[in-house]
Amino acid sequence: MPPPVFRFAPSPNGFLHLGHACSALLNFDRARDTGGRLLLRIEDIDATRCRPEFEAAIYEDLAWLGIVWETPVRRQSEHLADYRAALDSLTTLGLVYPCFESRAEITKLVAQREASGPWPRDPDGAPLYPGTAKSLSPSKRAQLIASGAPYALRLDMDAACRRVSRLAWTELGEGPDGEHGTVSAQPQAWGDVILARKETPTSYHLAVVVDDALQDVSEVVRGQDLFHATSVHALLQALLGLPVPDYRHHPLIRDAAGQKLAKSSRATGLRELRAGGATPADIRRLVGLA
Ligand code: GLU
């Protein structure tokens, strides 16, 4: 049996906080306790929000915590061809369509529908995309693309779900409602998710499943805020013929007011805590891993 493979996969769009420290330390401890490998992946596909100084800070903060990871580090921005290949497979299956509406136009479309009754929201609370662009004719699509209009590529969720049978994953941690063990995936709850954009051949969902498979990740340890997204990941894994790792979602670290931590919050930033005299052992205590 090859050793288990873990990964910590931060996005360099801000400084790390206690929530990241919790995920990173849990991954590190699991790798150490199981004789496994720990990878670090930089999820930097959003060029508008990711910055080199945040990436440099990630390496520095993790090293300060005492975490050791394998090199070279995988930076998603250097592997766009891998995501494009996965997107092409889904396109060949007829499961991808372009959507040309702006965010504001979608908000308007949803408001129109909500005028005549409740409209479904995804597990993160955002209204589902109404699917309007699915009915555009091939010639209209070609014309809009040729005109240079921006677009997002969405997964046709109904068609995708028709192609797969029962989807499930093994949850070693727990979901927000105590889900544990074999969890059945409910990707329909997310509607027609975005898989890529005109300028970027991937989204978070697509890149994460491609990378976890390419890197042989066997156990994904991450925060509970991504528990419901795992349903989309299980669907993409099935469609792309990729292995399904085990998942271990951990409860989120919350601030004194019970809110999820933000990258902008100074009180719980690792840099601020370190500057205030905290030691790595203090950080372990603060995230409940002493
Ligand atoms: N890059 C994601 C984040 O920083 C985490 C992705 C994952 O662990 O699957 O929230």
Side-chain angles (χ1 to χ4, degrees):
M1 273 283 275
V5 181
F6 300 83
R7 83 330 187 250
F8 176 56
S11 301
N13 55 14
F15 292 114
L16 301 186
H17 54 54
L18 284 176
H20 300 105
C22 179
S23 277
L25 288 166
L26 274 171
N27 271 295
F28 177 64
D29 290 357
R30 285 284 298 148
R32 186 199 51 203
D33 296 348
T34 60
R37 301 166 53 202
L38 176 62
L39 311 179
L40 173 62
R41 187 164 76 221
I42 300 293
E43 303 213 320
D44 60 348
I45 47 173
D46 184 351
T48 58
R49 295 175 64 217
C50 293
R51 300 220 305 258
E53 58 269 36
F54 293 136
E55 184 177 331
I58 287 172
Y59 302 134
E60 194 187 302
D61 292 348
L62 294 179
W64 174 71
L65 282 174
I67 289 173
V68 182
W69 60 90
E70 283 185 15
T71 52
V73 164
R74 183 172 172 96
R75 301 171 74 237
Q76 289 187 326
S77 59
E78 293 169 352
H79 298 276
L80 298 185
D82 291 332
Y83 315 129
R84 198 183 299 277
L87 182 66
D88 287 349
S89 314
L90 297 172
T91 305
T92 306
L93 293 175
L95 301 178
V96 181
Y97 68 94
C99 146
F100 300 90
E101 294 105 337
S102 66
R103 223 171 279 225
E105 283 163 339
I106 294 175
T107 305
K108 228 166 106 186
L109 286 170
V110 168
Q112 281 163 6
R113 283 169 173 67
E114 278 180 331
S116 51
W119 182 253
R121 293 188 170 248
D122 71 25
D124 283 348
L128 299 197
Y129 173 65
T132 19
K134 212 158 47 171
S135 54
L136 288 179
S137 66
S139 63
K140 183 72 190 165
R141 279 178 190 161
Q143 182 200 333
L144 283 164
I145 289 176
S147 77
Y151 57 87
L153 293 169
R154 291 183 179 267
L155 180 69
D156 182 338
M157 184 57 79
D158 289 341
C161 287
R162 280 197 298 272
R163 284 195 77 93
V164 297
S165 46
R166 215 178 142 266
L167 294 173
W169 77 85
T170 300
E171 177 60 51
L172 302 172
E174 66 173 4
D177 293 316
E179 298 91 336
H180 181 78
T182 303
V183 176
S184 97
Q186 311 289 342
Q188 302 88 333
W190 292 93
D192 292 356
V193 289
I194 293 181
L195 293 178
R197 292 181 191 276
K198 181 185 175 192
E199 318 290 347
T200 320
T202 187
S203 63
Y204 159 66
H205 293 308
L206 189 60
V208 84
V209 299
V210 168
D211 282 349
D212 284 340
L214 280 175
Q215 296 191 287
D216 296 320
V217 172
S218 54
E219 183 177 322
V220 172
V221 180
R222 62 186 179 190
Q224 244 169 27
D225 51 340
L226 291 169
F227 176 82
H228 291 295
T230 310
S231 285
V232 176
H233 302 169
L235 172 62
L236 293 176
Q237 284 152 354
L239 294 170
L240 294 165
L242 303 176
V244 184
D246 290 342
Y247 288 85
R248 183 182 296 270
H249 291 95
H250 63 81
L252 298 183
I253 306 289
R254 302 200 174 263
D255 66 14
Q259 295 300 308
K260 188 178 152 179
L261 303 184
K263 281 193 166 144
S264 52
S265 157
R266 305 194 143 259
T268 49
L270 291 185
R271 319 219 108 195
E272 283 81 2
L273 289 162
R274 169 153 57 129
T279 65
D282 295 329
I283 303 294
R284 274 193 175 267
R285 260 192 302 280
L286 283 168
V287 301
L289 293 176

